């Protein structure tokens, strides 16, 4: 793990060196039971983090699990668009009710609270982080087997808040093949290491384009270095998504649930296995 900075305000909940013994975790809504929380992160924007969050949510739902998607990217929310959600989250005397997608995935996003989703959210970091905590605490998620948290890019306030406040099992880091992105991926991995948050897997989006005529896989963005990064940091699996115009069209039309991705199905099965292993190790401790 990373070297301790002795600044406990930037510690993760699982940090063994933390000098403040009280739990940093926030409790979810009293009417919620959330079993496994997986964060989906990226070192920079535009690499397909929200796409991966949506596809993993769909893969889990197809397997019969109760699934939730928490859109923690407050200034750049994409989950409602991908799922074609136009309804607004409603409040009750008990809390906030998430919106259900066509297949029954529960979703919460800042865009599901706004009258005009095209209006920008111009908030400072602490206010944005507070909104994410409210989605965790005030939304009535009910019974959830897997929650995927779509985080904003980078290593700022929101990832820090999620690592401290929400009991995540681990994270999935999303990247593309370019060397510049690979360098920034290491920053995201090292942040997780410093906060004792497991990196469960890496996902390389836009990894290749498969020719529809001959089937050849073309590395449009050059040779990937993600395998070497995974090996260096002890990440067991790298999953690769091709460039697929049909997937992009489904996102644009709000029909991501119609897409079946063998790569993300395999990735979810692996993540579910890792979550079960982590749960068993926690019991043993």
């Amino acid at each position: 793990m990373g070297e301790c900075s002795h600044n406990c305000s930037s510690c993760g909940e699982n940090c063994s060196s933390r000098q403040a013994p009280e739990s940093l975790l926030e409790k979810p809504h009293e009417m919620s039971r959330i079993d496994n929380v997986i964060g989906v992160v990226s070192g920079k924007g535009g690499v397909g983090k929200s796409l991966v969050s949506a596809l993993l949510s769909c893969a889990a739902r197809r397997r019969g699990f109760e699934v939730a998607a928490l859109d923690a990217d407050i200034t750049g929310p994409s989950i409602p668009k991908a799922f074609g959600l136009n309804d607004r989250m409603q409040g009750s005397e008990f809390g906030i009710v998430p919106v259900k997608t066509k297949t029954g995935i529960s979703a919460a996003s800042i865009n599901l609270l706004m009258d005009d989703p095209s209006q920008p959210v111009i908030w400072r970091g602490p206010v944005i982080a507070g909104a994410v905590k409210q989605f965790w605490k005030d939304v009535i998620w009910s019974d959830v087997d897997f929650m995927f948290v779509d985080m904003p890019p980078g290593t700022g306030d929101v990832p820090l808040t999620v690592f401290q406040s929400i009991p995540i099992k681990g994270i999935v880091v999303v990247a593309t093949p370019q060397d510049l992105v690979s360098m920034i991926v290491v920053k995201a991995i090292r942040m997780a290491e410093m906060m004792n948050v497991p990196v469960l897997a890496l996902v390389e989006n836009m990894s290749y384009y498969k020719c529809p005529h001959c089937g050849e896989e073309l590395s449009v963005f050059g040779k990937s270095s993600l395998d070497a990064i995974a090996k260096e940091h002890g990440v067991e699996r790298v999953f690769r998504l091709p460039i697929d115009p049909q997937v992009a069209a489904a996102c644009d039309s709000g029909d991501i649930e119609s897409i079946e991705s063998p790569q993300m199905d395999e990735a979810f099965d692996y993540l579910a296995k890792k979550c079960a292993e982590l749960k068993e190790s926690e019991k043993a401790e």
Side-chain angles (χ1 to χ4, degrees):
M1 295 300 173
E3 183 180 348
C4 181
S5 66
H6 303 292
N7 177 9
C8 294
S9 66
S10 62
C11 287
E13 166 65 19
N14 297 325
C15 179
S16 59
S17 300
R18 191 160 55 86
Q19 295 172 1
E22 69 276 5
S23 175
L24 299 172
L25 293 178
E26 298 281 356
K27 292 183 179 180
H29 193 280
E30 61 183 5
M31 297 172 66
S32 297
R33 177 203 61 83
I34 304 168
D35 198 2
N36 300 290
V37 184
I38 299 174
V40 183
V41 310
S42 64
K44 69 182 296 297
V47 298
K49 169 184 49 60
S50 297
L51 170 65
V52 170
S53 300
L55 289 175
L56 286 173
S57 298
C58 293
R61 186 62 184 150
R62 279 196 298 272
R63 280 150 175 73
F65 291 108
E66 293 298 325
V67 183
L70 192 164
D71 191 350
D73 195 349
I74 302 297
T75 60
S78 302
I79 291 297
K81 177 68 174 176
F83 284 99
L85 300 177
N86 297 306
D87 295 335
R88 295 288 165 266
M89 292 194 294
Q90 301 297 319
S92 72
E93 59 182 305
F94 302 107
I96 302 170
V97 180
V99 175
K100 293 282 189 178
T101 70
K102 298 182 187 76
T103 63
I105 297 169
S106 299
S109 172
I110 194 68
N111 264 16
L112 300 177
L113 291 172
M114 300 175 67
D115 293 330
D116 182 1
S118 66
Q119 286 296 317
V121 175
I122 307 174
W123 295 345
R124 294 190 183 276
V127 179
I128 293 173
V132 173
K133 284 204 283 189
Q134 280 190 282
F135 281 154
W136 172 254
K137 297 189 302 179
D138 297 344
V139 172
I140 305 172
W141 294 105
S142 300
D143 289 333
V144 172
D145 298 310
F146 288 92
M147 171 183 281
F148 295 95
V149 181
D150 182 17
M151 295 197 216
T155 55
D157 285 319
V158 170
L160 180 60
T161 295
V162 171
F163 290 163
Q164 289 181 324
S165 305
I166 298 177
I168 61 173
K169 283 289 192 299
I171 63 169
V172 174
V173 181
V174 183
T176 52
Q178 299 99 319
D179 282 342
L180 173 62
V181 177
S182 298
M183 181 269 292
I184 297 174
V185 165
V186 174
K187 291 180 181 290
I189 292 175
R190 286 181 175 166
M191 179 183 185
E193 290 174 343
M194 291 173 67
M195 305 191 73
N196 284 352
V197 175
V199 180
L200 303 177
L202 306 182
V203 175
E204 185 174 77
N205 188 32
M206 296 181 277
S207 182
Y208 59 90
Y209 176 72
K210 189 172 184 178
C211 177
H213 304 294
C214 68
E216 181 181 1
E217 294 183 359
L218 306 171
S219 300
V220 178
F221 294 111
K223 186 178 179 181
S224 169
S225 60
L226 216 55
D227 285 326
I229 292 173
K231 183 177 180 180
E232 179 184 353
H233 292 275
V235 182
E236 295 178 9
R237 293 295 302 272
V238 176
F239 298 93
R240 289 181 163 81
L241 282 173
I243 298 171
D244 189 341
Q246 289 186 331
V247 174
C251 281
D252 289 343
S253 63
D255 198 25
I256 193 62
E257 287 164 296
S258 69
I259 296 295
E260 293 192 17
S261 169
Q263 297 88 352
M264 289 298 95
D265 285 348
E266 182 184 359
F268 171 73
D269 289 340
Y270 174 77
L271 293 173
K273 177 184 175 183
K274 293 297 290 185
C275 286
E277 291 174 356
L278 289 168
K279 189 175 296 183
E280 286 301 315
S281 67
E282 289 168 2
K283 289 179 181 178
E285 294 175 359

